[in-house]
Amino acid sequence: MSETAERRDRRRLTSVVLGPGSVPDPTPLGARVTRGVVVSANTRMLCMAVPEGEERFLYDHDTTFWRGGEVGPGDLRPGDDAVVLRMAGGHPVAERVWAQAARATGVIVARDGDTLEVDPGHGRPRLTVVIPYRNSGRITVRHPRLEPGYVFDAVGVWREGAVWATRPATTQPPYPLRATPHRPPTHRYGGTLNGIATWYDPAWGRSTHLDPRAHLDAVAYPALDIVGHDPACDRRTPCAPLPLLSVGATLSLRNDCTKDSAVFPVVACAAADSWLCDLCPACGGQGAGRIASLTMTGFVALGGRLEDGCFNATVTVHDGEG
Amino acid sequence: MSSEIFAVVREVQLPLLAVLLLLGAVTKMSGRAADTGGLAVLVSERLRRPSAVATGLLEAALGVGLLVSNGLPGEAARALTAIVFAVSVVVLFLVRRRDPEAGCGCFGGLSRAPVGRRTLTRAGLLSAAALTTLGLEPAGWQVLASPTPSHAWVLGAELLILALLSPELRDMVTRSTHKEPCELREVPLNHTMRVLQRSEVWRTNEPVMIKPEPTDVWRKGCWRLLRYDGIRHGRRVDVVYAVRIGGRRDTAVRAVVVDRASGAVLASYGAVSQAELIGPPRKLPRPSVAARLHERRQDPDRAAQSLRAARGLSILGEPAERAPRGHDHGDPDERRPAPTG
């Protein structure tokens, strides 16, 4: 049975046993976000290869571009992995374009000069992270210990198969991962939690016009139940008191900055997000701890900016009492 | 009198500080959790374990010194204890500034609560307590060997203050008395299986299932769900159980039998209605009281009037052929119930 069919079956059967309110259907997020590979780009138009064929986007005078930093339309290159947020209203006009966006979240396992090897956990392949000299000051201010055993989280761009870090996505905890303090005991759980939502790329920036994972609007969840999950999810107890769920469950997520909300299916384990207990500076949120890691397109569709790495969010997990 | 009490207070500090130091030494040197807070936050990864062990050894030496030494070595141990606690206040300040979530590490892995005012106050008070012992004649063991009721009272009061200032105690009590909410509780699969296999819902569906092992297991907050292959009246079905984490044994299991081809629900077990049930009255009155109440409410004229009206309607509405079937009732009014009382 394919993973997708398994997820759908779990949702259907949970709904039958515990009632339809326990597993709301995922919200279709519409077509405001498109991801694909740049075929050609000039100063007036972007042509992208997408699963349906080719799609063209015009630029407005407000259209902005990001490729490791704010760039112009001429800096997009054929072959770039691009995420396009359209203008509201359904017109094929780009509001913002991100090219080659990448993220490295995990624990540092090796260091060789300005190159790190980062383990994102959960059996995902290790990432090579390069910290270019021009960004090293910015990175080391918030990641003072670039040593094996310490957690790392930075946003950057894909270049020659490695993530070239451009800006830190969190402040590194001052202790190594194995010395992470335990969460204090929780007495009550109310069904709704504040925290921060982050993003990850399930397709690793490769063949995003063909890979269906690149177009998924879903979340990886940091409190996945270990039982029934294969391969094993090497998560820790996250600092936000999240209810235990499995792949196939759904949860409501609200962007506290834009007030946009949607129901997302849980598709993966967010092991690295369970290791971090941080705050997001966006719009002055106070909720500590990562509550969900959205896929790239889901994150943008819910109003996030990939270069920020996070937004303050409220998660609601519908209980099965009924 | 007050000078005597002050002398007792000073003496009590010796065994109390010694026990606290020895306890701190043992917890710091046992297990890896020891090097996660306190001084470990301020030193590099390489030095964490050695610093924890060194602090533990120093505390053990001071604890023994307070218990067994008097004279010059005893004075040195007491002065060093005061200095150690004073330095620990500074270290805790720095730890709190560096990482507000880190524990104080005072009792190794037990001290996981973030450094707060109480922890700082405790370290400061212990430093002051060590200072009061300077110049005392007896060693700690001598105080222990000749206890008086005053010593017991002072020790009790101090232990109470320490308990109030110790997040470790509160943490331990909370962990032992409060269970995590069922949504957050990690429960092994074999525990769920035990609850399931002891349930009546399981026994009812046992003949339907064709494999003893679930084909899929997943979690939804307080519920763990298990899917089994089954055959019912020759059709392939899925038997899906929902086992509530921490639920009562007799109501913790629900199940549905779902036709695999059509997805139709063939049977459902164990779900409890959410409708509010009408319960019995809280207390029924005694028969004599009930009779008196009934009489009080009885209105013979109104009863007779409603009876007449009812009979009139009944006679008017009855079909003609049914009328002779009744016995000779005579005048309906003659059947008026005699007023009671």
Side-chain angles (χ1 to χ4, degrees), chain B residues 170-332:
Chain B
R170 273 180 290 133
D171 201 17
M172 280 166 68
V173 169
T174 313
R175 279 181 198 279
S176 58
T177 55
H178 290 83
K179 273 191 171 178
E180 272 200 309
C182 58
E183 290 90 347
L184 279 65
R185 212 177 305 160
E186 307 261 4
V187 175
L189 181 61
N190 56 14
H191 181 269
T192 309
M193 296 298 291
R194 269 204 304 278
V195 174
L196 174 63
Q197 287 170 359
R198 283 177 191 164
S199 71
E200 205 170 315
V201 174
W202 170 268
R203 284 195 293 276
T204 308
N205 286 297
E206 226 169 355
V208 178
M209 294 180 291
I210 52 174
K211 283 183 192 164
E213 296 303 318
T215 52
D216 194 12
V217 180
W218 68 101
R219 176 88 181 248
K220 175 76 184 64
C222 282
W223 296 90
R224 178 163 279 152
L225 293 105
L226 304 98
R227 174 185 184 172
Y228 286 82
D229 274 343
I231 291 182
R232 191 172 190 258
H233 303 313
R235 293 180 69 91
R236 290 299 294 269
V237 293
D238 285 312
V239 185
V240 185
Y241 294 97
V243 182
R244 194 176 158 84
I245 307 295
R248 279 174 51 190
R249 192 176 294 172
D250 50 348
T251 58
V253 181
R254 296 182 189 182
V256 286
V257 180
V258 182
D259 187 279
R260 189 168 289 178
S262 67
V265 178
L266 304 177
S268 173
Y269 306 86
V272 179
S273 169
Q274 288 284 292
E276 199 175 325
L277 298 175
I278 301 164
R282 281 184 189 166
K283 192 179 175 187
L284 288 169
R286 284 186 304 169
S288 57
V289 177
R292 264 206 301 281
L293 287 171
H294 178 72
E295 280 167 18
R296 208 172 295 160
R297 281 197 294 262
Q298 188 79 357
D299 182 356
D301 293 336
R302 200 174 154 200
Q305 196 181 348
S306 61
L307 186 63
R308 259 201 308 277
R311 282 187 177 155
L313 274 176
S314 161
I315 288 163
L316 283 174
E318 229 172 34
E321 65 270 21
R322 286 186 66 191
R325 238 181 352 163
H327 298 286
D328 186 14
H329 295 310
D331 184 1

Side-chain angles (χ1 to χ4, degrees), chain A residues 9-10 14 16-17 22 145 174-176 178 183 186-187 189 225 235 241 243-244 246 318 321-322, chain B residues 32 45 48 98-99 174 180-181 183 185-186 216-221 223-224 227 242 244 254 256 265:
Chain A
D9 272 359
R10 282 182 176 180
T14 308
V16 169
V17 186
S22 62
R145 287 172 173 162
Y175 36 77
R178 67 169 189 82
R183 182 180 73 199
T186 309
H187 308 309
Y189 166 73
D225 190 26
R235 66 163 181 85
L244 294 172
S246 293
H318 304 270
E321 307 299 312
Chain B
R32 294 177 72 185
E45 169 70 7
R48 286 186 173 204
R98 178 82 182 260
D99 179 11
T174 313
E180 272 200 309
E183 290 90 347
R185 212 177 305 160
E186 307 261 4
D216 194 12
V217 180
W218 68 101
R219 176 88 181 248
K220 175 76 184 64
W223 296 90
R224 178 163 279 152
R227 174 185 184 172
R244 194 176 158 84
R254 296 182 189 182
V256 286
V265 178

Side-chain angles (χ1 to χ4, degrees), chain A residues 77-207:
Chain A
R77 291 168 202 164
D80 276 1
D81 163 38
V83 176
V84 178
L85 175 67
R86 288 171 188 239
M87 291 276 186
H91 302 293
V93 180
E95 183 179 315
R96 185 161 175 79
V97 181
W98 290 269
Q100 293 291 89
R103 181 172 193 158
T105 309
V107 62
I108 301 168
V109 288
R111 181 181 180 179
D112 180 17
D114 59 357
T115 305
L116 306 175
E117 196 175 341
V118 172
D119 181 5
H122 193 210
R124 290 182 191 152
R126 290 180 174 180
L127 291 166
T128 303
V129 180
V130 178
I131 301 174
Y133 177 72
R134 66 177 178 282
N135 296 328
S136 60
R138 199 176 191 188
I139 298 284
T140 50
V141 162
R142 291 179 70 190
H143 287 77
R145 287 172 173 162
L146 296 174
E147 300 166 27
Y150 284 84
V151 175
F152 182 83
D153 189 9
V155 174
V157 286
W158 287 110
R159 194 167 154 190
E160 296 157 6
V163 178
W164 286 59
T166 55
R167 56 187 293 175
T170 188
T171 301
Q172 188 185 46
Y175 36 77
L177 176 61
R178 67 169 189 82
T180 306
H182 291 251
R183 182 180 73 199
T186 309
H187 308 309
R188 265 190 289 172
Y189 166 73
T192 297
L193 282 169
N194 291 315
I196 70 171
T198 60
W199 64 268
Y200 78 109
D201 181 5
W204 306 103
R206 294 181 204 127
S207 308

